[in-house]
Amino acid sequence: MNVDETDLPGLGRRKDFMTASGRRIGVVEYREGQTELIVSTWDDPDTCQASIPLTADEAAALGNLLGGQRLAMQLSEEHREIPGIVTRQFSIGGESPFHNQPMGKACIRTRSGVSIVAIMREGEVLPSPGPDVVLHPGDLLVAVGTQEGLDTAAGILRNG
């Protein structure tokens, strides 16, 4: 995938790429810290068909969703030939009893047999997180285990 980067003098930087359907999807990162998601046509990247301003939290959530999905797909592919092993993503919401708490407090592995293999946070991947990693609202946990174990882990993260 070829990502084009363009300096926008006095404004910031634009990064975009061409989709298979012939649209350009990009992000403008303004110097002041704002982020804007943009869609334009293949033949004229300066003609914007859609523009969505994003707060820092929204941009981080979108990055987590997209990055987490790709990571989960890779893990699913790797575990495809291992019967009974499933990959799932869990989002930490503000209502979770474990938000702003160390991950170890949930005892996910002990209580469900599930391994948290990564955390997506603000577009970054935290691989193999330890029990001392504090969970934040908006974190996307990538977990591997049995279907039953993943169902149990979902309940733990939701209800304690």
Side-chain angles (χ1 to χ4, degrees):
M1 179 72 48
N2 185 31
V3 176
D4 296 321
E5 295 189 32
T6 307
D7 282 326
L8 303 173
L11 294 176
R13 188 161 189 78
R14 174 183 173 151
K15 299 175 186 175
D16 59 4
F17 65 94
M18 184 72 68
T19 67
S21 65
R23 293 181 132 178
R24 293 183 78 81
I25 296 179
V27 173
V28 177
E29 297 168 337
Y30 292 96
R31 287 183 177 207
E32 295 81 25
Q34 304 100 313
T35 302
E36 187 174 6
L37 182 65
I38 56 172
V39 179
S40 55
T41 59
W42 66 272
D43 59 342
D44 186 4
D46 293 328
T47 301
C48 190
Q49 292 179 319
S51 168
I52 304 168
L54 301 171
T55 66
D57 288 342
E58 293 165 343
L62 180 60
N64 285 346
L65 290 173
L66 295 174
Q69 180 65 25
R70 184 171 183 186
L71 181 59
M73 287 172 45
Q74 288 172 334
L75 287 169
S76 292
E77 182 66 25
E78 290 174 11
H79 296 126
R80 184 173 40 143
E81 296 182 24
I82 304 172
I85 298 298
V86 182
T87 302
R88 191 185 297 176
Q89 301 173 46
F90 301 111
S91 181
I92 299 297
E95 70 284 350
S96 171
F98 301 107
H99 81 277
N100 298 326
Q101 299 292 322
M103 187 172 67
K105 188 172 181 180
C107 299
I108 295 291
R109 184 161 177 73
T110 303
R111 295 169 66 191
S112 69
V114 166
S115 294
I116 306 298
V117 297
I119 297 175
M120 294 293 301
R121 178 181 292 156
E122 298 180 0
E124 299 288 323
V125 177
L126 304 172
S128 303
D132 57 333
V133 173
V134 175
L135 299 175
H136 299 288
D139 282 357
L140 193 66
L141 281 59
V142 180
V144 175
T146 64
Q147 187 64 49
E148 180 181 334
L150 291 165
D151 291 343
T152 300
I156 292 168
L157 290 168
R158 196 174 29 253
N159 305 315

